[in-house]
Amino acid sequence: MDVSGRTLLDEVAARRAELIALTQDLIRIPTLNPPGRNYREICDYLAARLSGSGFRVDLIRAEGAPGDSDAHPRWNLVARREGAAPGDCVHFNGHHDVVEVGHGWTRDPFGGELDGDRIYGRGSCDMKGGLAAAIIAAEAFIAACPGHRGAIEISATADEESGGYGGVAYLAERGWFAPDRVQHVIIPEPLHKDRICLGHRGVWWAEIETKGRIAHGSMPFLGDSAIRHMGAVLEEMEATLFPLLAGKRTEMPVIPEGARQSTLNINSIHGGEVEQEDGYTGLPAPCVADRCRIVIDRRFLIEEDLAEVKREVTRMLETVKSRRPSFEYEVRDLFEVQPTMTEKDAPVVRTTAQAIEKVLGQSAGYVVSPGTYDQKHIDRIGKLHNCIAYGPGILDLAHQPDEWVGVQDMQDSAGVMALVLSELLAP
Ligand SMILES: [Zn+2]
């Protein structure tokens, strides 16, 4: 039996009230990360729902992962529904954690308030609305096509907001995204219902330390100031490194436009005496700083090589060293992620683009994320390259006060995801 696209979109539309209620329920479970609250509660809620829809559910605790403890266990859910005949597995992955509330809200951040077309709340846009849309898409497809081929999987995973090590990375390391069990992955992150996100830029975080010698502040010539050395590093960075990076443009369709080049942020700078607690009323001590550290966040392009990215920094430091006889430094790697970009002709990209055209009557846009998300683990650890981010919600609203997700956007993207299922799994 073939499923007509129209029937399927009707099945999705008929579930609009359910889509709203599901999104509200998910928002009302405050899965704040850090520290990782209520992960078990949200997994239990989803387990009950999905087993009711014919899914076999596994709850997996990422024991020993960063952040995992008995007080805040890292729970993940993977639900799988086998079809009537062999075929591909389409997997929807949503992170269930949300970032802190922050200030400036005029709505209850965990109320799930519906006002007109909008549902408000922390995580509504990033990304409980997307997770709800994927679930409704799957349920609508199953209703229209109970005898489908292959398998549908839905996962709700922990800790995306803090790197995904207690979530997708943990599952990928244990084979949950192995290419012999999952063939297509859609991550319904909030990237607008008409755009397909193909991947992300690379990341290198490092700490650079300059070294000096402590001495009395009244006789600085007896010491060697690590802060002055760092000043020279920062000057060299302004003079040569930032212009070099600005000149490196990418063919990746990164959004926003400003991120379509190499970038570097200095996350922090610390030097000399440690800062005292707020209540400290004494004076600082007069000392020459013997250590100064910065943490850099370098985002690199698919056209760049990580080894070369690191060499650029070393070369810059060597230039400073050649001018300052006592200059000594150390560079420590903190974190790195390779850039990734799925090809436009990959099956999940092509099918999603066709579905967007059918539902929205316009051709799909292609974007690349300036920062990383869980695709990095699926691609790198799971070795599954046929993966995109596609989901409802306006990216800019993520992590903001009064975050919201549009009901019509959710419904439209659920329609797109249901059509993708139909294209890949209908008998
Ligand atoms: Zn997210």
Side-chain angles (χ1 to χ4, degrees), residues 166-183:
V168 171
Y170 188 91
L171 296 180
E173 272 159 12
R174 279 151 191 83
W176 290 89
F177 290 94
D180 59 346
R181 67 179 301 286
V182 177
Q183 285 75 42

PDB file of all heavy atoms in Angstrom, residues 166-183:
ATOM      1  N   GLY A 166      27.330  12.660  28.074  1.00  0.00           N
ATOM      2  CA  GLY A 166      26.443  11.758  28.810  1.00  0.00           C
ATOM      3  C   GLY A 166      25.230  11.396  27.967  1.00  0.00           C
ATOM      4  O   GLY A 166      24.264  10.817  28.472  1.00  0.00           O
ATOM      5  N   GLY A 167      25.257  11.753  26.699  1.00  0.00           N
ATOM      6  CA  GLY A 167      24.111  11.505  25.817  1.00  0.00           C
ATOM      7  C   GLY A 167      24.540  10.804  24.552  1.00  0.00           C
ATOM      8  O   GLY A 167      24.937   9.634  24.571  1.00  0.00           O
ATOM      9  N   VAL A 168      24.498  11.532  23.427  1.00  0.00           N
ATOM     10  CA  VAL A 168      24.756  10.909  22.128  1.00  0.00           C
ATOM     11  C   VAL A 168      26.157  10.292  22.048  1.00  0.00           C
ATOM     12  O   VAL A 168      26.323   9.203  21.494  1.00  0.00           O
ATOM     13  CB  VAL A 168      24.522  11.929  20.988  1.00  0.00           C
ATOM     14  CG1 VAL A 168      25.001  11.378  19.662  1.00  0.00           C
ATOM     15  CG2 VAL A 168      23.035  12.268  20.897  1.00  0.00           C
ATOM     16  N   ALA A 169      27.164  10.960  22.612  1.00  0.00           N
ATOM     17  CA  ALA A 169      28.521  10.397  22.545  1.00  0.00           C
ATOM     18  C   ALA A 169      28.555   9.031  23.223  1.00  0.00           C
ATOM     19  O   ALA A 169      29.127   8.071  22.702  1.00  0.00           O
ATOM     20  CB  ALA A 169      29.530  11.339  23.193  1.00  0.00           C
ATOM     21  N   TYR A 170      27.912   8.952  24.389  1.00  0.00           N
ATOM     22  CA  TYR A 170      27.877   7.697  25.150  1.00  0.00           C
ATOM     23  C   TYR A 170      27.175   6.603  24.336  1.00  0.00           C
ATOM     24  O   TYR A 170      27.659   5.471  24.235  1.00  0.00           O
ATOM     25  CB  TYR A 170      27.163   7.933  26.481  1.00  0.00           C
ATOM     26  CG  TYR A 170      27.218   6.775  27.436  1.00  0.00           C
ATOM     27  CD1 TYR A 170      28.248   6.659  28.365  1.00  0.00           C
ATOM     28  CD2 TYR A 170      26.225   5.789  27.426  1.00  0.00           C
ATOM     29  CE1 TYR A 170      28.297   5.598  29.256  1.00  0.00           C
ATOM     30  CE2 TYR A 170      26.268   4.718  28.306  1.00  0.00           C
ATOM     31  CZ  TYR A 170      27.304   4.629  29.227  1.00  0.00           C
ATOM     32  OH  TYR A 170      27.345   3.574  30.097  1.00  0.00           O
ATOM     33  N   LEU A 171      26.050   6.941  23.743  1.00  0.00           N
ATOM     34  CA  LEU A 171      25.312   5.954  22.943  1.00  0.00           C
ATOM     35  C   LEU A 171      26.102   5.554  21.695  1.00  0.00           C
ATOM     36  O   LEU A 171      26.170   4.367  21.344  1.00  0.00           O
ATOM     37  CB  LEU A 171      23.949   6.521  22.527  1.00  0.00           C
ATOM     38  CG  LEU A 171      22.953   6.840  23.653  1.00  0.00           C
ATOM     39  CD1 LEU A 171      21.664   7.394  23.068  1.00  0.00           C
ATOM     40  CD2 LEU A 171      22.653   5.602  24.501  1.00  0.00           C
ATOM     41  N   ALA A 172      26.712   6.538  21.052  1.00  0.00           N
ATOM     42  CA  ALA A 172      27.473   6.247  19.824  1.00  0.00           C
ATOM     43  C   ALA A 172      28.643   5.314  20.139  1.00  0.00           C
ATOM     44  O   ALA A 172      28.929   4.386  19.382  1.00  0.00           O
ATOM     45  CB  ALA A 172      27.966   7.535  19.181  1.00  0.00           C
ATOM     46  N   GLU A 173      29.297   5.551  21.269  1.00  0.00           N
ATOM     47  CA  GLU A 173      30.422   4.689  21.646  1.00  0.00           C
ATOM     48  C   GLU A 173      29.972   3.246  21.872  1.00  0.00           C
ATOM     49  O   GLU A 173      30.758   2.316  21.736  1.00  0.00           O
ATOM     50  CB  GLU A 173      31.085   5.208  22.927  1.00  0.00           C
ATOM     51  CG  GLU A 173      32.167   6.228  22.647  1.00  0.00           C
ATOM     52  CD  GLU A 173      32.477   7.114  23.843  1.00  0.00           C
ATOM     53  OE1 GLU A 173      32.022   6.799  24.971  1.00  0.00           O
ATOM     54  OE2 GLU A 173      33.157   8.132  23.633  1.00  0.00           O
ATOM     55  N   ARG A 174      28.715   3.069  22.226  1.00  0.00           N
ATOM     56  CA  ARG A 174      28.212   1.719  22.489  1.00  0.00           C
ATOM     57  C   ARG A 174      27.415   1.154  21.317  1.00  0.00           C
ATOM     58  O   ARG A 174      26.618   0.229  21.491  1.00  0.00           O
ATOM     59  CB  ARG A 174      27.391   1.735  23.782  1.00  0.00           C
ATOM     60  CG  ARG A 174      28.333   1.668  24.974  1.00  0.00           C
ATOM     61  CD  ARG A 174      27.791   2.343  26.208  1.00  0.00           C
ATOM     62  NE  ARG A 174      28.861   2.443  27.195  1.00  0.00           N
ATOM     63  CZ  ARG A 174      29.784   3.416  27.215  1.00  0.00           C
ATOM     64  NH1 ARG A 174      29.764   4.371  26.306  1.00  0.00           N
ATOM     65  NH2 ARG A 174      30.729   3.435  28.140  1.00  0.00           N
ATOM     66  N   GLY A 175      27.586   1.752  20.163  1.00  0.00           N
ATOM     67  CA  GLY A 175      27.041   1.143  18.953  1.00  0.00           C
ATOM     68  C   GLY A 175      25.603   1.490  18.603  1.00  0.00           C
ATOM     69  O   GLY A 175      25.046   0.952  17.649  1.00  0.00           O
ATOM     70  N   TRP A 176      24.983   2.401  19.361  1.00  0.00           N
ATOM     71  CA  TRP A 176      23.584   2.721  19.077  1.00  0.00           C
ATOM     72  C   TRP A 176      23.398   3.428  17.737  1.00  0.00           C
ATOM     73  O   TRP A 176      22.311   3.411  17.181  1.00  0.00           O
ATOM     74  CB  TRP A 176      22.976   3.566  20.205  1.00  0.00           C
ATOM     75  CG  TRP A 176      22.777   2.790  21.474  1.00  0.00           C
ATOM     76  CD1 TRP A 176      23.678   2.640  22.489  1.00  0.00           C
ATOM     77  CD2 TRP A 176      21.611   2.046  21.867  1.00  0.00           C
ATOM     78  NE1 TRP A 176      23.152   1.852  23.487  1.00  0.00           N
ATOM     79  CE2 TRP A 176      21.883   1.476  23.130  1.00  0.00           C
ATOM     80  CE3 TRP A 176      20.375   1.799  21.270  1.00  0.00           C
ATOM     81  CZ2 TRP A 176      20.958   0.680  23.810  1.00  0.00           C
ATOM     82  CZ3 TRP A 176      19.454   1.011  21.953  1.00  0.00           C
ATOM     83  CH2 TRP A 176      19.749   0.455  23.205  1.00  0.00           C
ATOM     84  N   PHE A 177      24.472   4.072  17.238  1.00  0.00           N
ATOM     85  CA  PHE A 177      24.365   4.738  15.936  1.00  0.00           C
ATOM     86  C   PHE A 177      25.199   4.018  14.876  1.00  0.00           C
ATOM     87  O   PHE A 177      25.581   4.604  13.876  1.00  0.00           O
ATOM     88  CB  PHE A 177      24.788   6.206  16.044  1.00  0.00           C
ATOM     89  CG  PHE A 177      23.816   7.038  16.824  1.00  0.00           C
ATOM     90  CD1 PHE A 177      23.992   7.269  18.186  1.00  0.00           C
ATOM     91  CD2 PHE A 177      22.694   7.582  16.202  1.00  0.00           C
ATOM     92  CE1 PHE A 177      23.084   8.023  18.912  1.00  0.00           C
ATOM     93  CE2 PHE A 177      21.777   8.338  16.923  1.00  0.00           C
ATOM     94  CZ  PHE A 177      21.974   8.559  18.279  1.00  0.00           C
ATOM     95  N   ALA A 178      25.510   2.752  15.132  1.00  0.00           N
ATOM     96  CA  ALA A 178      26.321   2.012  14.160  1.00  0.00           C
ATOM     97  C   ALA A 178      25.569   1.932  12.834  1.00  0.00           C
ATOM     98  O   ALA A 178      24.353   1.743  12.815  1.00  0.00           O
ATOM     99  CB  ALA A 178      26.616   0.620  14.701  1.00  0.00           C
ATOM    100  N   PRO A 179      26.288   2.086  11.714  1.00  0.00           N
ATOM    101  CA  PRO A 179      25.625   2.117  10.403  1.00  0.00           C
ATOM    102  C   PRO A 179      24.854   0.844  10.058  1.00  0.00           C
ATOM    103  O   PRO A 179      24.001   0.868   9.180  1.00  0.00           O
ATOM    104  CB  PRO A 179      26.791   2.318   9.421  1.00  0.00           C
ATOM    105  CG  PRO A 179      27.896   2.887  10.227  1.00  0.00           C
ATOM    106  CD  PRO A 179      27.729   2.353  11.618  1.00  0.00           C
ATOM    107  N   ASP A 180      25.119  -0.273  10.758  1.00  0.00           N
ATOM    108  CA  ASP A 180      24.321  -1.469  10.447  1.00  0.00           C
ATOM    109  C   ASP A 180      22.988  -1.481  11.196  1.00  0.00           C
ATOM    110  O   ASP A 180      22.127  -2.310  10.904  1.00  0.00           O
ATOM    111  CB  ASP A 180      25.124  -2.744  10.745  1.00  0.00           C
ATOM    112  CG  ASP A 180      25.558  -2.827  12.201  1.00  0.00           C
ATOM    113  OD1 ASP A 180      25.468  -1.793  12.906  1.00  0.00           O
ATOM    114  OD2 ASP A 180      25.979  -3.904  12.644  1.00  0.00           O
ATOM    115  N   ARG A 181      22.804  -0.558  12.147  1.00  0.00           N
ATOM    116  CA  ARG A 181      21.476  -0.527  12.791  1.00  0.00           C
ATOM    117  C   ARG A 181      20.697   0.768  12.518  1.00  0.00           C
ATOM    118  O   ARG A 181      19.474   0.780  12.579  1.00  0.00           O
ATOM    119  CB  ARG A 181      21.536  -0.875  14.287  1.00  0.00           C
ATOM    120  CG  ARG A 181      22.214   0.041  15.219  1.00  0.00           C
ATOM    121  CD  ARG A 181      22.136  -0.472  16.684  1.00  0.00           C
ATOM    122  NE  ARG A 181      20.784  -0.644  17.210  1.00  0.00           N
ATOM    123  CZ  ARG A 181      19.993   0.351  17.573  1.00  0.00           C
ATOM    124  NH1 ARG A 181      20.385   1.594  17.458  1.00  0.00           N
ATOM    125  NH2 ARG A 181      18.788   0.098  18.063  1.00  0.00           N
ATOM    126  N   VAL A 182      21.400   1.855  12.180  1.00  0.00           N
ATOM    127  CA  VAL A 182      20.724   3.121  11.846  1.00  0.00           C
ATOM    128  C   VAL A 182      21.295   3.633  10.525  1.00  0.00           C
ATOM    129  O   VAL A 182      22.507   3.659  10.345  1.00  0.00           O
ATOM    130  CB  VAL A 182      20.975   4.181  12.951  1.00  0.00           C
ATOM    131  CG1 VAL A 182      20.339   5.511  12.562  1.00  0.00           C
ATOM    132  CG2 VAL A 182      20.435   3.710  14.293  1.00  0.00           C
ATOM    133  N   GLN A 183      20.412   4.036   9.596  1.00  0.00           N
ATOM    134  CA  GLN A 183      20.899   4.497   8.297  1.00  0.00           C
ATOM    135  C   GLN A 183      20.658   5.985   8.030  1.00  0.00           C
ATOM    136  O   GLN A 183      21.345   6.602   7.233  1.00  0.00           O
ATOM    137  CB  GLN A 183      20.283   3.671   7.162  1.00  0.00           C
ATOM    138  CG  GLN A 183      20.883   2.274   7.022  1.00  0.00           C
ATOM    139  CD  GLN A 183      20.411   1.302   8.097  1.00  0.00           C
ATOM    140  OE1 GLN A 183      19.228   1.276   8.456  1.00  0.00           O
ATOM    141  NE2 GLN A 183      21.327   0.517   8.646  1.00  0.00           N
TER     142      GLN A 183
END
